[in-house]
């Protein structure tokens, strides 16, 4: 599954790639290196949220200047064309862009709060008000952001929320406060749900059979991306991927 995401990013011509993973995941590093020989790795030992996971890649991107794309290892059907559309939203006014989608049943997803065509906040399901939970515009989890802005805002993340985690999604609110407009790029989830979702499930079933995953693996829905699923050990994390583009 990870290889499919890496191949999509490879098509973009990433100058640098960093995979953030949990402890003792040598198989992840082997898979990533087979696709991207120049891939770097960072380990997240504590599960403190997506924002914390992103911060683990800081050392690997210390000298980088350009645009950073944050992807997740549990979304194997993401296409390079979709990512190009997201990156195209970045300009002098918009130094951050979010990939969103509309869902018939948005339960479990973060809701995108939009004002004047700009995303001003993302409210996670557990933190959303009754009215906010009615919003059908949802967050896929995938973002594109200017490297300098990313490392400027990350230390300002707080874990004062329902989960006690450092949400990467809070970067939107922080960017808005910093007078940076956050752009929105659409992912057409209705097409995905009705036409690609059955294929997605078939792909995962074949992946399970071919690689004979041990019984200690769990199979459960992920809230990082539309209609996606992933395998994960109880003590591990779904790999988080960084692709830096000049």
């Amino acid at each position: 599954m990870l290889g499919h995401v890496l191949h999509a990013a490879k098509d973009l011509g990433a100058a640098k790639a960093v995979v953030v993973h949990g402890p003792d995941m040598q198989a992840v590093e082997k898979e990533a290196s087979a696709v991207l020989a120049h891939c770097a790795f960072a380990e997240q030992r504590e599960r403190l949220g997506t924002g914390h996971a992103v911060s683990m890649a800081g050392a690997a991107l210390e000298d980088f200047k350009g645009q950073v794309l944050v992807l997740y290892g549990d979304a194997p059907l993401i296409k390079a064309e979709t990512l190009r559309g997201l990156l195209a939203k970045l300009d002098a006014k918009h130094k951050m862009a979010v990939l969103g989608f509309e869902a018939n049943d948005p339960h479990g997803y973060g809701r995108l709060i939009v004002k004047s065509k700009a995303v001003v906040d993302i409210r996670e399901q557990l933190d959303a008000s009754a009215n906010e939970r009615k919003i059908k515009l949802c967050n896929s989890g995938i973002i594109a952001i200017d490297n300098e802005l990313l490392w400027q805002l990350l230390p300002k993340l707080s874990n004062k929320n329902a989960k006690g985690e450092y949400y990467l999604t809070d970067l939107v609110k922080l960017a808005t406060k910093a007078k940076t407009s956050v752009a929105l790029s659409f992912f057409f989830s209705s097409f995905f749900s009705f036409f690609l979702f059955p294929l997605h499930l078939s792909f995962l079933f074949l992946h399970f059979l071919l690689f004979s995953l041990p019984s200690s693996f769990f199979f459960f829905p992920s809230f990082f991306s539309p209609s996606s699923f992933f395998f994960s050990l109880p003590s591990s994390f779904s790999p988080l991927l960084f692709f830096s583009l000049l």
Side-chain angles (χ1 to χ4, degrees):
M1 290 173 65
L2 174 62
H4 285 266
V5 183
L6 291 167
H7 277 293
K10 185 178 182 180
D11 290 342
L12 298 175
K16 284 192 174 184
V18 185
V19 175
V20 179
H21 60 73
D24 303 318
M25 297 186 73
Q26 289 79 11
V28 168
E29 296 190 3
K30 182 178 179 180
E31 171 75 10
S33 297
V35 179
L36 290 171
H38 66 287
C39 193
F41 303 94
E43 186 176 286
Q44 184 191 22
R45 288 195 166 274
E46 296 181 273
R47 188 178 295 196
L48 301 180
T50 50
H52 175 258
V54 169
S55 68
M56 297 296 98
L61 296 177
E62 186 176 7
D63 299 323
F64 177 76
K65 302 293 182 183
Q67 301 169 338
V68 174
L69 185 64
V70 181
L71 304 178
Y72 295 87
D74 62 346
L77 294 185
I78 191 69
K79 298 295 184 183
E81 292 81 2
T82 302
L83 300 177
R84 287 191 186 95
L86 177 64
L87 289 164
K89 294 289 183 177
L90 297 180
D91 54 29
K93 180 181 178 182
H94 306 90
K95 293 187 177 182
M96 180 178 179
V98 173
L99 184 62
F101 65 98
E102 289 191 354
N104 291 328
D105 180 10
H107 181 79
Y109 295 110
R111 308 307 203 280
L112 299 182
I113 313 298
V114 178
K115 293 181 180 179
S116 302
K117 298 183 179 180
V119 184
V120 296
D121 205 351
I122 300 177
R123 195 80 74 241
E124 297 297 337
Q125 172 75 25
L126 293 177
D127 299 295
S129 66
N131 285 334
E132 289 169 340
R133 291 182 183 184
K134 295 178 182 178
I135 297 173
K136 293 188 176 182
L137 185 58
C138 301
N139 175 42
S140 72
I142 297 174
I143 69 167
I145 187 170
D146 174 78
N147 184 68
E148 185 176 345
L149 180 66
L150 174 64
W151 304 113
Q152 174 188 333
L153 298 181
L154 270 179
K156 299 180 180 180
L157 291 178
S158 169
N159 64 349
K160 294 181 180 179
N161 49 61
K163 285 189 175 182
E165 295 181 351
Y166 295 94
Y167 294 155
L168 183 66
T169 50
D170 284 345
L171 288 183
V172 171
K173 179 168 53 180
L174 293 172
T176 302
K177 287 183 178 179
K179 307 299 182 183
T180 296
S181 184
V182 179
L184 173 62
S185 183
F186 276 101
F187 176 86
F188 297 103
S189 63
S190 58
F191 174 80
F192 185 95
S193 298
F194 288 103
F195 295 97
L196 294 183
F197 186 48
L199 176 62
H200 196 172
L201 289 179
S202 299
F203 169 82
L204 291 171
F205 181 66
L206 287 173
H207 184 279
F208 181 83
L209 293 178
L210 289 172
F211 291 93
S212 301
L213 295 176
S215 59
S216 58
F217 275 75
F218 291 110
F219 183 58
F220 58 99
S222 165
F223 295 125
F224 284 134
S225 56
S227 306
S228 68
F229 294 84
F230 68 104
F231 296 101
S232 177
L233 278 170
S235 61
S236 65
F237 313 92
S238 178
L240 181 71
L241 301 96
F242 284 80
F243 296 97
S244 310
L245 300 105
L246 293 172

